Amino acid sequence: MNGLRDRTALAGVGYTGFSKDSGVSTLTLACEAILAALSDAGLTTDDVDGIATHRVGDSAAPSVVGPALGVHEPSWYLDQFGGGSVSHAVVGQAMLAVAAGVARTVVCYRAINARSEFRMGGTGRGAPPGPEVQYQAPYGYVAPPQQFAMYARAHMTKYGTKAEHFGQLAVTQRANAVRNPRALMRTPITMDDYLASRWIAEPFRLLDCCLETDGACALVVTTAERAADLRRPRVLVSAAAWGGGDSFLSGGRVDTTVSAAAELAPRLYRAAGIGPEEVDVAEIYDCFTYSVIVQLEDYGFCAKGEGGPFAASGAIGPGGRIPVNTHGGFLSEGYVHGINHIAEAVSQLRGDAGERQVAGAQVALSTAQPGYVLPATSALILRRG
Amino acid sequence: MRPVPDRDSAEWWAAVRRRELAVQECAGCGTWRFPARAYCPVCRAREWRWRVTDGRARVSSWIVAHQRFHPALAPPYTVVRVCLAQAPGCVLYGTWVGGGEPVAGEPVRAVFTEVDEGLTLIAWEPAG
Ligand SMILES: [Zn+2]
């Protein structure tokens, strides 16, 4: 991977507004976010020769989005099946395509109507396909909040992680969202609000769960050389890694208090040539509060089992040792399936994150769902350069 | 929600109908595995036989569903994740029928619940 270090860059980011009902198709959302990202980079659709997304049958495909934007002959497509765990792998694949010269300007996007059309929380929709479903769904175990609550409980019983630890994450991320004009949820919450929120799947309350959001986000990946000549401060892809983990089918990860990120992290840091102590800001996949706790451990910011107390210590807030989810994350900004975490990392490194800017941020970690649904995860280390 | 057995799992579900909690034993290396599939992930052997377990397990984790996650299932209900006593690498989920709240590490045993003529499901209760 070292041959790929800092050879590609994220040259632009683009968003649609976030809402509970966009009123438009995912195709429209995808086009809007891509055009915004190209404009941010100072590029046009004439420059685009690669298009990539990840989706679970719920969104417009690259082969549709390309022609819809008048991109008729892209040299590279990626239509990655998968949820949040592959979100960062999409950018990793784009990095490979650009570094190999197969494409020069790739747009990576995720467009979803996750509230108005396809509810991610699973309420009222059929179970997704997969060999494990037959062993779970008959018992009413069908939705992500249940799965992650199951893993959170195991962490609580093994390490003494408490509701207040999860709660402090929710409170901290909401405070970050208050400083983010894009965020859907901008009213501050307290620990009492957290503890009083209704049960969803015990031990998870409503405020442990991410939002279900309509919206899109897009990124522009190009060569490091070219990015130096574009509009924005350059953000290099220092490392991309994907893989790791185990699954229910492969015999089962019996101890779920360790995520796939534990296997991925050493590879990621090695590829970037740094360690966790050199990361200035971390955008950590937060489909649920617990997902952040386990990744704080598995990406090396604290010892195994210490994620709860670490999160509650103030270390992850503004001015803390490692500010986390500065945009408010999925819990409070909006849920765009991982791409908005990468976009926020880019903003932080460019220094244009406004009131929520981490002073002097040079290196960012952005991570995907840590492999609890599909047996793999992905992550990026980005660097201002 | 009715399970939809596939070509790998049909025999396993048939065993459950007979009130047997079975797992596969690899003929190559002896590893017990679940869920059912053709190849051993440890040694890649394709030969195996069914082993009926004693139905004993330990609670790994549990949740209490408070939201209506499926139209057919009225909350609240408790789902447990258990590891089999004879093969701790074999993880199963099931309805909790213990009454009180489960405890991590608690010994449990499988209970077979006949839903109708074509379907039996597994639940878990304290083994005392
Ligand atoms: Zn074997």
Side-chain angles (χ1 to χ4, degrees):
Chain A
M1 288 293 280
N2 284 357
L4 295 166
R5 186 188 299 167
D6 297 340
R7 282 183 54 197
T8 58
L10 287 166
V13 301
Y15 301 86
T16 66
F18 297 157
S19 71
K20 288 184 171 179
D21 185 358
S22 69
V24 299
S25 65
T26 55
L27 174 60
T28 300
L29 291 174
C31 291
E32 183 181 338
I34 289 169
L35 290 171
L38 289 169
S39 170
D40 183 54
L43 296 169
T44 73
T45 50
D46 290 342
D47 297 299
V48 174
D49 58 2
I51 307 178
T53 196
H54 66 290
R55 59 194 187 112
V56 287
D58 58 347
S59 179
S63 57
V64 173
V65 170
L69 286 172
V71 179
H72 294 295
E73 289 184 44
S75 51
W76 187 75
Y77 270 138
L78 176 69
D79 187 6
Q80 173 72 52
F81 178 85
S85 58
V86 298
S87 55
H88 291 56
V90 167
V91 174
Q93 304 280 10
M95 170 192 78
L96 290 181
V98 169
V102 174
R104 188 153 184 253
T105 306
V106 175
V107 287
C108 302
Y109 68 92
R110 180 71 171 112
I112 43 176
N113 283 326
R115 183 64 176 78
S116 67
E117 288 194 308
F118 183 92
R119 291 197 66 173
M120 274 289 165
T123 316
R125 79 174 155 91
E132 72 280 15
V133 171
Q134 62 187 299
Y135 304 108
Q136 302 174 355
Y139 310 107
Y141 188 73
V142 292
Q146 299 175 308
Q147 296 171 313
F148 284 82
M150 190 72 87
Y151 304 134
R153 172 92 69 188
H155 201 276
M156 294 170 85
T157 56
K158 183 164 183 179
Y159 294 113
T161 308
K162 297 190 294 191
E164 286 78 5
H165 297 145
F166 299 137
Q168 194 54 52
L169 253 166
V171 170
T172 301
Q173 291 194 199
R174 180 62 60 87
N176 290 343
V178 170
R179 295 187 292 275
N180 175 7
R182 227 175 16 244
L184 272 174
M185 306 297 276
R186 301 190 66 194
T187 306
I189 55 171
T190 64
M191 183 63 76
D192 286 344
D193 294 330
Y194 167 81
L195 292 170
S197 67
R198 68 183 166 89
W199 290 120
I200 299 295
E202 209 178 320
F204 280 168
R205 297 167 167 85
L206 180 66
L207 291 176
D208 286 299
C209 304
C210 67
L211 306 170
E212 294 171 295
T213 306
D214 285 14
C217 187
L219 310 163
V220 178
V221 181
T222 189
T223 63
E225 292 78 13
R226 186 146 183 253
D229 299 329
L230 294 177
R231 268 185 72 201
R232 295 291 195 173
R234 190 168 71 164
V235 173
L236 298 167
V237 181
S238 277
W242 52 102
D246 203 347
S247 83
F248 187 51
L249 198 64
S250 65
R253 180 184 287 277
V254 174
D255 182 0
T256 58
T257 63
V258 180
S259 79
E263 283 133 37
L264 188 81
R267 228 158 17 89
L268 178 74
Y269 288 127
R270 202 159 51 241
I274 64 162
E277 60 286 345
E278 284 156 273
V279 176
D280 299 313
V281 57
E283 312 302 349
I284 297 181
Y285 200 94
D286 59 323
C287 43
F288 303 95
T289 49
Y290 166 71
S291 338
V292 180
I293 302 267
V294 72
Q295 289 182 87
L296 286 169
E297 300 168 359
D298 292 344
Y299 281 102
F301 296 108
C302 61
K304 179 48 69 182
E306 296 291 318
F310 183 78
S313 71
I316 63 163
R321 149 70 193 96
I322 178 72
V324 166
N325 292 340
T326 46
H327 50 336
F330 297 150
L331 298 178
S332 288
E333 184 192 56
Y335 179 87
V336 198
H337 229 174
I339 300 301
N340 55 324
H341 283 53
I342 304 170
E344 172 68 6
V346 170
S347 272
Q348 289 289 344
L349 296 176
R350 299 197 311 205
D352 60 22
E355 278 186 72
R356 61 186 193 282
Q357 180 65 46
V358 174
Q362 297 290 314
V363 176
L365 168 71
S366 187
T367 78
Q369 192 271 102
Y372 279 129
V373 182
L374 294 173
T377 186
S378 54
L380 301 170
I381 289 176
L382 307 177
R383 181 168 77 77
R384 183 177 173 128
Chain B
M1 206 179 294
R2 286 185 89 84
V4 182
D6 56 39
R7 291 180 183 191
D8 289 322
S9 69
E11 289 184 23
W12 186 83
W13 282 106
V16 173
R17 283 292 295 152
R18 299 190 301 270
R19 309 176 77 82
E20 293 171 359
L21 174 46
V23 299
Q24 290 164 293
E25 181 186 56
C26 173
C29 71
T31 301
W32 289 25
R33 69 176 183 266
F34 175 84
R37 69 275 202 197
Y39 286 91
C40 171
V42 177
C43 77
R44 265 64 62 185
R46 195 167 167 165
E47 295 72 39
W48 50 271
R49 58 181 172 150
W50 289 110
R51 293 293 298 259
V52 178
T53 73
D54 61 9
R56 301 281 175 148
R58 285 186 184 274
V59 172
S60 153
S61 190
W62 72 98
I63 60 157
V64 184
H66 289 268
Q67 176 154 304
R68 189 175 282 270
F69 286 101
H70 188 269
L73 287 160
Y77 57 90
T78 299
V79 181
V80 290
R81 179 184 196 266
V82 306
C83 300
L84 293 183
Q86 291 170 295
C90 293
V91 175
L92 284 89
Y93 294 83
T95 305
W96 174 250
V97 290
E101 188 156 26
V103 175
E106 179 177 0
V108 293
R109 65 174 156 250
V111 177
F112 295 89
T113 309
E114 194 160 313
V115 178
D116 56 39
E117 279 187 12
L119 177 63
T120 298
L121 292 175
I122 293 174
W124 298 94
E125 67 175 13

